[in-house]
Amino acid sequence: MIGPCGDGPGTGGDTIAPSAPSALVSTGATSSTISLSWGASTDNVGVTGYTVYYGSSSVNVTGTTATISGLSPNTSYTFTVKARDAAGNLSAASNTLQASTIEGTSGSTSWVTQKSYASGDTVTYAGKTYVCLQPHTSLAGWEPPNVPALWRLQ
């Protein structure tokens, strides 16, 4: 049924929001990530995805789990999740979850290729110590002195 103002294509006149996601929990944490899980929402037409909110950031996912990356070590974050349907209706927020990343590794390790580094990680390379500026997986050619966007000399 089309309302008096007319609904755009694809909405089908759906004005009913999905139910709120339930039982938001943390399923794990590293120094730069927090993994989350929650109960699925229901909708009269169908849930198309979820948005995870934390601080001033958010990330869209399609399932009922998410791993939020690029976080600071030893830091507490507050999370909520909302469901959305094809018409763009948003559910009420899930329960609020407070979760923390773990403390980063102490001391430096030697830089190696094919390793995932988190912001704040320290490594040694050619006798010098570097701090990781942004999360990445190291590749040959990305040695700390070669990529100042990824590493800062300490």
Side-chain angles (χ1 to χ4, degrees):
M1 180 164 126
I2 296 180
C5 296
D7 288 325
T11 64
D14 180 11
T15 59
I16 299 172
S19 65
S22 60
L24 174 62
V25 296
S26 173
T27 57
T30 69
S31 62
S32 63
T33 66
I34 294 177
S35 296
L36 305 169
S37 176
W38 57 89
S41 296
T42 57
D43 186 62
N44 65 318
V45 176
V47 173
T48 58
Y50 298 87
T51 303
V52 178
Y53 298 90
Y54 58 105
S56 61
S57 300
S58 65
V59 63
N60 292 326
V61 297
T62 55
T64 57
T65 63
T67 298
I68 309 302
S69 59
L71 304 175
S72 298
N74 202 27
T75 303
S76 180
Y77 293 88
T78 301
F79 296 93
T80 59
V81 178
K82 291 184 180 181
R84 66 183 176 283
D85 65 16
N89 298 311
L90 281 179
S91 73
S94 67
N95 58 297
T96 299
L97 173 70
Q98 194 82 21
S100 298
T101 52
I102 62 172
E103 192 168 327
T105 56
S106 58
S108 300
T109 58
S110 295
W111 181 89
V112 295
T113 60
Q114 299 303 315
K115 179 175 176 173
S116 291
Y117 289 103
S119 296
D121 286 351
T122 58
V123 298
T124 56
Y125 183 82
K128 297 179 180 175
T129 302
Y130 295 84
V131 176
C132 181
L133 299 176
Q134 58 183 318
H136 69 282
T137 299
S138 59
L139 300 173
W142 288 13
E143 292 81 4
N146 296 342
V147 281
L150 297 176
W151 297 100
R152 182 186 71 226
L153 181 61
Q154 244 186 343

